[in-house]
Amino acid sequence: MTAAPETRPNILRWWALGLIALAQFMVIMDTSIIGVALPRMRDALGFTPSTLSWVFNAYVIAFGGLLLLGGRLSDLFGARRLFAAGWAILLAGSVLAGAAGNVPVELAGRIVQGAGAALVAPSALTLLMMLFGSNPKELTKALALYGAAAPAGGTAGVFLGGVITEYLSWPWVFYLNVPIAVLALFATRAVLPGGSAGTRGTVDVFGALTVTLGLGTLVYGIVRAPEAGWAATWIALGAGLALLAVFVVRQAKARTPLMRLSIFRAPRLGAANLAQVFLGAAWIPMWFFLNLYLQQVLGFRAFPAGAALLPITALIMLGMIALAPRVIGKFGPKPPIVAGLLLLAAGLGWLALVRADGSFWVDVLPASLVAALGMSLAFIPSLGTAISAARPEEGGLASGIVNTGYQVGSALGLAVMTALAAASGAGALGDPAALTNGYSVAFVGSAVIALVGAILAALTFRRQ
């Protein structure tokens, strides 16, 4: 899926891949770096246990809801131009979130960060395909490095968040982005291919607004369910589904849609994106509640809590770089996707056995490593299949769709698990037994999501 043959020197292409992987690292790190800082942010800004997840969801909804727009803009105006614009917006949002003195400003900063990430992510994948799409062997290697940057950013964010929260203060989890964004902006023109200036067309702003508001309304209704009651919850869910239905109808009738619905006729694109949805919906709640279990039940301080999750990162990176490409080469994408989701479900089911008087070595480490192995097997083949299935001129759209699938799954999965956990005791701060019960229910729910994902992948994914 190359926009044009890329003939720049080989060493420069791999430097470019490093910058592209840094982008993936950063947009995922910004979903996780706030994890360890959440208790401090709750006390400083006045979040409640039920609204605390909005520090995560505000970013993810803006990110996931605007990704299709980002992909379309990348196709229209050129991937490198949108890549740079996304970094600039991400920088501005980071400054706003770090300087926030109350809940609304904090959430506004996270929304701006998510909007910047929504421009960076699809343009980064388009640039990767421009550089390596003509060589399948190099493309697999590039996708493995790019894919490994996601879990690396996720858990590195937790680790860095622990260090920063412990030894500096929580605003620096956002200010950390500033020097990295400045470096990326300077490096963009030096190492990334310019490619074409883009294609002619218009931008479906109405479509972008309806899908973003629809997703946000759904998540709001789910998160608020334990407090608002069923009547208000069903109203919010109905409004969210109605907005998403308007989006689909709009895309079917618009002359220049944000997302051409017929793109899903491409072989295996829909199944691969569905796998990404379920991966996000199962993995992100695991990370969120595992971090809370370490701090609020086992009593880990910020830095040890972040360090405790480093083995997960190490295994995922090893699996994505060394194991997944070999398995894909031997068996094709379907078997590792199904097996990976099954392993993820097994690891989450094991985590559901956590105890109020448990320990990291018994209750956390073994189960989290099984889940990490599953994630590393399933992520790369589903990602690679999804972005390589579209036509070359729709590289930005395909990249936006696959990123949207993962982020939408993440937001909805976390919203549902937050509601279940809160209804099962996770809102009872200071009561380890109640907190553990709530977190255990969230792990069970996430395991069910991964299991359903494995079954659907087995039924819908075509073999090569």
Side-chain angles (χ1 to χ4, degrees):
M1 191 179 70
T2 55
E6 179 54 48
T7 58
R8 55 179 43 208
N10 190 60
I11 185 64
L12 195 58
R13 292 166 65 239
W14 292 102
W15 276 108
L17 177 62
L19 180 57
I20 292 167
L22 175 65
Q24 173 76 336
F25 180 93
M26 279 293 297
V27 299
I28 301 301
M29 187 181 76
D30 279 338
T31 67
S32 67
I33 196 168
I34 49 91
V36 177
L38 286 175
R40 305 278 181 91
M41 295 174 68
R42 179 193 64 216
D43 297 338
L45 301 178
F47 283 98
T48 65
S50 62
T51 61
L52 192 60
S53 64
W54 279 99
V55 181
F56 176 86
N57 282 329
Y59 176 89
V60 170
I61 290 170
F63 185 14
L66 295 173
L67 271 166
L68 291 175
L69 178 62
R72 175 64 174 161
L73 292 174
S74 177
D75 290 334
L76 287 176
F77 299 109
R80 188 174 73 177
R81 187 176 299 169
L82 264 292
F83 187 80
W87 276 109
I89 295 171
L90 182 62
L91 188 158
S94 299
V95 172
L96 181 61
N102 54 57
V103 170
V105 176
E106 179 60 43
L107 296 184
R110 291 293 282 167
I111 289 170
V112 175
Q113 281 188 306
L119 300 186
V120 169
S123 55
L125 271 175
T126 301
L127 289 163
L128 184 149
M129 297 303 295
M130 289 171 59
L131 288 162
F132 299 98
S134 61
N135 186 321
K137 185 175 181 180
E138 283 193 344
L139 177 60
T140 299
K141 184 186 296 184
L143 283 172
L145 292 170
Y146 175 86
T155 306
V158 175
F159 176 72
L160 291 173
V163 173
I164 291 169
T165 304
E166 185 85 12
Y167 298 109
L168 293 172
S169 60
W170 67 262
W172 285 95
V173 302
F174 302 112
Y175 294 149
L176 176 66
N177 289 347
V178 173
I180 299 175
V182 171
L183 175 65
L185 285 169
F186 276 107
T188 295
R189 182 168 292 275
V191 302
L192 291 181
S196 63
T199 59
R200 292 184 178 182
T202 59
V203 178
D204 183 10
V205 176
F206 179 77
L209 289 175
T210 54
V211 70
T212 305
L213 290 174
L215 175 61
T217 305
L218 279 178
V219 172
Y220 177 80
I222 295 168
V223 170
R224 293 282 296 168
E227 297 178 0
W230 282 108
T233 298
W234 283 116
I235 291 173
L237 295 180
L241 291 173
L243 285 167
L244 294 178
V246 170
F247 169 74
V248 172
V249 172
R250 168 80 175 187
Q251 302 315 293
K253 296 183 176 181
R255 293 182 60 185
T256 55
L258 190 64
M259 180 180 70
R260 181 177 60 84
L261 297 181
S262 59
I263 193 174
F264 289 101
R265 295 174 186 168
R268 301 186 300 177
L269 184 142
N273 276 284
L274 190 63
Q276 284 279 310
V277 171
F278 279 89
L279 278 172
W283 178 260
I284 294 300
M286 185 201 86
W287 159 81
F288 185 85
F289 289 105
L290 186 56
N291 181 60
L292 291 178
Y293 173 74
L294 288 170
Q295 291 194 69
Q296 296 184 353
V297 176
L298 298 188
F300 281 39
R301 299 191 320 276
F303 175 69
L309 299 180
L310 286 179
I312 299 176
T313 297
L315 181 59
I316 288 183
M317 292 185 68
L318 180 64
M320 286 190 176
I321 294 173
L323 179 61
R326 294 184 180 182
V327 176
I328 295 169
K330 186 172 183 179
F331 299 104
K334 180 177 179 178
I337 292 173
V338 175
L341 282 163
L342 288 174
L343 281 171
L344 179 56
L348 287 163
W350 193 351
L351 277 173
L353 303 177
V354 291
R355 301 164 296 163
D357 59 347
S359 72
F360 168 74
W361 299 103
V362 175
D363 294 78
V364 175
L365 183 62
S368 64
L369 290 179
V370 172
L373 179 60
M375 180 66 169
S376 68
L377 277 176
F379 188 85
I380 294 299
S382 56
L383 174 70
T385 301
I387 67 172
S388 61
R391 299 196 303 246
E393 64 272 18
E394 293 184 314
L397 174 59
S399 301
I401 290 172
V402 68
N403 276 288
T404 298
Y406 186 84
Q407 298 303 328
V408 167
S410 299
L412 294 178
L414 181 59
V416 172
M417 294 310 114
T418 297
L420 289 177
S424 304
L429 297 178
D431 185 344
L435 289 171
T436 302
N437 186 68
Y439 301 156
S440 178
V441 169
F443 292 138
V444 170
S446 299
V448 171
I449 290 173
L451 181 60
V452 171
I455 294 171
L456 290 176
L459 293 174
T460 63
F461 214 100
R462 301 179 187 175
R463 288 188 177 273
Q464 284 182 318

